[in-house]
Amino acid sequence: MKVDMDKLVSLCKRRGFIFQSSEIYGGLSACWDYGPLGVELKRNIKEMWWRDMVRERDDMVGLDSSVLMHRAVWSASGHEEGFVDPLMECKACNQRWRADDTKDGRCPDCGGELTEPRMFNLMFKTFFGPVEEEAAAIYLRPETAQGIFVNFANVMDTARKKLPFGIAQIGKAFRNEITTGNFIFRCREFEMMEIEFFVKPDTAGEWFSYWLEERQNWYIKLGINKENLRLHQHGEDELAHYARVCYDIDYLFPMGWSELEGIADRGDFDLAQHAKHSGKDLSYFDPDSGERFMPYVIEPSVGVDRAALAFLVDAYDEEPDKDDIRVLLRLHPDLAPVKVAVLPLSRNETLVPMAKDVYAAVRKCFTAQYDDAQSIGRRYRRQDEIGTPLAVTIDFQSLEDHQVTIRERDSMKQIRVPVAELTGTLELKLSGEPLEVLPPGGKYWLGFEE
Ligand code: GAP
């Protein structure tokens, strides 16, 4: 089901996923704060990316470079000159627009006449040290990639990797975007997950195709419906100043198909530029062929916030529920902010000690939430709405037979399992095991009326 953006924004605020930055002062546009659930979702996305792109691969190493870098980096990389958008201003209402968001030289808001476009650099400037003068001006990085390129020789010398290999980094980036909006789709402060994958120049095409495939599969593996993904090849007029070829992995967001991730063939542009400007040799010596050359780079790059939006949109669902509607986030268990909810049937004091013991055991293994407020049906709905895949319920029978109920978010099926087998069963279920193949001892049970 495709969710309307307003509904999603409201759910995210109401349930503590995402808040407007500096909200009590009227808000700061295109900057967002992640609440208790949002921060877990975001951490899970980054953790899964790091697990799949770095830890489980033999040809990738990680890096964490600083946000502030020497100004010369941005001169060499071409960002000082080329990281610009054409900006037009409305002569009537003074609103500013990216030229490609306007038509016929008229303001999209009030129809007023627009100024001629002028180039606007998207990098945020600040001052390094106590003196506020141009000589001390530096930039907040608009991409994490340059931190990787300027460390290429350091990593080569220390990680003992042979081509092909990649360097991956997750970190904040800043862009003074002219037009923002669409919630966390385009922010002025955001996080990126970037890979610079260094290859022999004559293998760049093969590796480009490999990463196109690999990255689409990553989203599908984590629950994105593949019908909502498509590839878009950049035309000459869309290519960034450093790219030879670029494809976007587009996602069908509520406002239409838009870029989720970019995969670019940057050739040897960056290493060659940094070698030229720094005077350092950044070439690679191939021990097999005895040749020295500048590696080419394939770059899969995605914003964590934009990925979070795609996962939330894709997971959002509504279904009829008696006279009401059940809202749920069908998030993949690896991404769900809370994995297991522990719910005593009521606040009856005889249930609480056992429920607390179960909670203590469960939270040692999984991110868990304890909830004893309101009816069990309402509590299930609350957990559905934040995407919790499993709920464990403790009832009066549990006190006697030491069994508890596990209820599944998507199917609403319930089963009864011995407490001694609980964490093992939850583990199996969270890794995708269907309810039908429970370990010995588990048996079907009628469950609670929802
Ligand atoms: N190093 C390559 C690079 O920066 P990009 O296409 O400008 O390429 C890569 O950005 C990805 O970063 C985009 O596909 C998107 O996911 C994310 N991104 C870019 N600008 C963003 C913004 N203002 N807010 C949120 N995410 C953004």
Side-chain angles (χ1 to χ4, degrees):
M1 164 188 178
K2 245 316 68 94
V3 58
D4 167 80
M5 191 73 102
D6 291 341
K7 254 190 198 171
L8 191 67
V9 174
S10 144
L11 185 152
C12 285
K13 166 134 205 244
R14 191 160 32 85
R15 304 311 312 270
F17 278 90
I18 301 165
F19 312 118
Q20 174 84 67
S21 162
S22 318
E23 193 185 83
I24 60 168
Y25 289 103
L28 187 66
S29 80
C31 295
W32 299 92
D33 297 342
Y34 288 76
L37 296 179
V39 72
E40 294 290 342
L41 172 66
K42 222 172 147 196
R43 284 174 75 105
N44 291 340
I45 293 171
K46 291 185 279 185
E47 177 55 29
M48 290 305 105
W49 187 87
W50 198 263
R51 178 195 71 186
D52 295 340
M53 298 299 124
V54 183
R55 215 177 305 126
E56 291 195 355
R57 297 183 65 107
D58 200 30
D59 57 1
M60 194 80 71
V61 291
L63 182 78
D64 185 8
S65 68
S66 62
V67 167
L68 300 177
M69 301 171 79
H70 199 292
R71 188 167 175 174
V73 169
W74 305 109
S75 164
S77 70
H79 282 78
E80 270 197 327
E81 202 177 319
F83 196 58
V84 287
D85 270 347
L87 176 147
M88 297 170 98
E89 194 168 337
C90 175
K91 291 181 182 170
C93 71
N94 297 329
Q95 274 212 72
R96 291 175 177 160
W97 300 96
R98 257 167 67 152
D100 41 0
D101 290 336
T102 66
K103 257 198 217 129
D104 313 324
R106 291 275 152 197
C107 173
D109 229 24
C110 75
E113 193 189 337
L114 295 170
T115 58
E116 283 299 304
R118 69 179 166 88
M119 287 305 176
F120 173 78
N121 196 299
L122 301 185
M123 287 194 291
F124 276 100
K125 240 182 192 174
T126 187
F127 298 99
F128 200 67
V131 188
E132 295 196 5
E133 60 185 16
E134 187 55 24
I138 57 165
Y139 301 105
L140 303 187
R141 67 181 178 197
E143 60 170 14
T144 69
Q146 296 305 323
I148 297 179
F149 294 126
V150 300
N151 276 295
F152 176 70
N154 284 335
V155 175
M156 278 302 300
D157 290 347
T158 52
R160 307 186 140 264
K161 287 282 174 200
K162 278 167 73 176
L163 251 49
F165 85 97
I167 305 177
Q169 163 153 242
I170 299 179
K172 287 266 184 173
F174 304 83
R175 296 184 188 182
N176 203 359
E177 300 281 0
I178 300 170
T179 40
T180 56
N182 291 320
F183 197 26
I184 51 173
F185 178 81
R186 185 171 285 122
C187 322
R188 292 200 167 103
E189 172 177 342
F190 57 103
E191 254 181 305
M192 300 184 93
M193 305 189 285
E194 300 204 284
I195 292 169
E196 306 305 323
F197 200 77
F198 300 93
V199 301
K200 291 182 184 168
D202 61 355
T203 64
E206 264 165 63
W207 280 106
F208 192 85
S209 307
Y210 168 85
W211 281 109
L212 270 186
E213 197 79 3
E214 187 72 6
R215 292 301 305 147
Q216 290 177 89
N217 286 339
W218 187 76
Y219 292 106
I220 295 165
K221 179 171 103 175
L222 286 173
I224 294 264
N225 178 352
K226 70 172 184 224
E227 305 298 312
N228 292 333
L229 294 175
R230 73 169 192 198
L231 291 177
H232 160 74
Q233 183 176 11
H234 281 212
E236 278 299 315
D237 54 334
E238 290 171 281
L239 278 179
H241 62 273
Y242 49 73
R244 294 182 343 132
V245 184
C246 185
Y247 276 71
D248 291 339
I249 300 177
D250 282 351
Y251 178 76
L252 188 53
F253 287 99
M255 64 284 186
W257 288 103
S258 310
E259 173 184 353
L260 167 59
E261 167 157 351
I263 316 237
D265 175 347
R266 292 178 81 128
D268 63 359
F269 177 85
D270 302 88
L271 288 181
Q273 282 293 105
H274 287 305
K276 186 168 135 202
H277 285 246
S278 68
K280 299 282 186 293
D281 181 7
L282 299 180
S283 63
Y284 172 80
F285 177 73
D286 184 1
D288 300 330
S289 67
E291 286 172 335
R292 182 169 281 285
F293 57 87
M294 212 51 110
Y296 273 24
V297 175
I298 308 302
E299 177 196 63
S301 166
V302 59
V304 182
D305 314 71
R306 204 171 282 187
L309 182 60
F311 284 121
L312 284 167
V313 168
D314 223 80
Y316 186 93
D317 203 3
E318 289 177 3
E319 8 174 270
D321 172 31
K322 296 185 193 130
D323 300 332
D324 204 0
I325 284 175
R326 177 169 93 110
V327 174
L328 69 161
L329 292 181
R330 295 186 191 274
L331 286 169
H332 189 285
D334 287 342
L335 300 181
V338 178
K339 314 289 185 212
V340 182
V342 177
L343 316 172
L345 188 61
S346 73
R347 279 182 175 160
N348 187 296
E349 61 188 24
T350 55
L351 286 181
V352 172
M354 183 177 178
K356 291 269 164 145
D357 283 352
V358 168
Y359 179 46
V362 167
R363 71 188 295 189
K364 272 206 173 122
C365 311
F366 315 99
T367 317
Q369 217 176 58
Y370 185 88
D371 187 4
D372 61 5
Q374 299 182 309
S375 75
I376 191 74
R378 281 196 173 215
R379 281 180 277 158
Y380 283 149
R381 292 293 169 278
R382 267 209 294 275
Q383 295 297 332
D384 291 341
E385 214 189 8
I386 63 169
T388 308
L390 301 173
V392 174
T393 307
I394 297 96
D395 60 12
F396 295 101
Q397 186 67 28
S398 309
L399 301 176
E400 283 164 24
D401 64 7
H402 294 276
Q403 299 211 356
V404 292
T405 301
I406 300 177
R407 181 260 194 190
E408 203 180 47
R409 175 196 67 203
D410 293 352
S411 65
M412 298 200 283
K413 269 189 190 165
Q414 299 185 8
I415 50 155
R416 193 96 170 143
V417 291
V419 172
E421 293 172 13
L422 178 62
T423 53
T425 309
L426 292 172
E427 175 106 54
L428 273 176
K429 292 280 317 116
L430 289 168
S431 66
E433 201 78 34
L435 276 175
E436 284 70 15
V437 290
L438 281 168
K443 59 179 186 178
Y444 292 98
W445 188 73
L446 282 177
F448 302 103
E449 185 69 26
E450 290 202 22

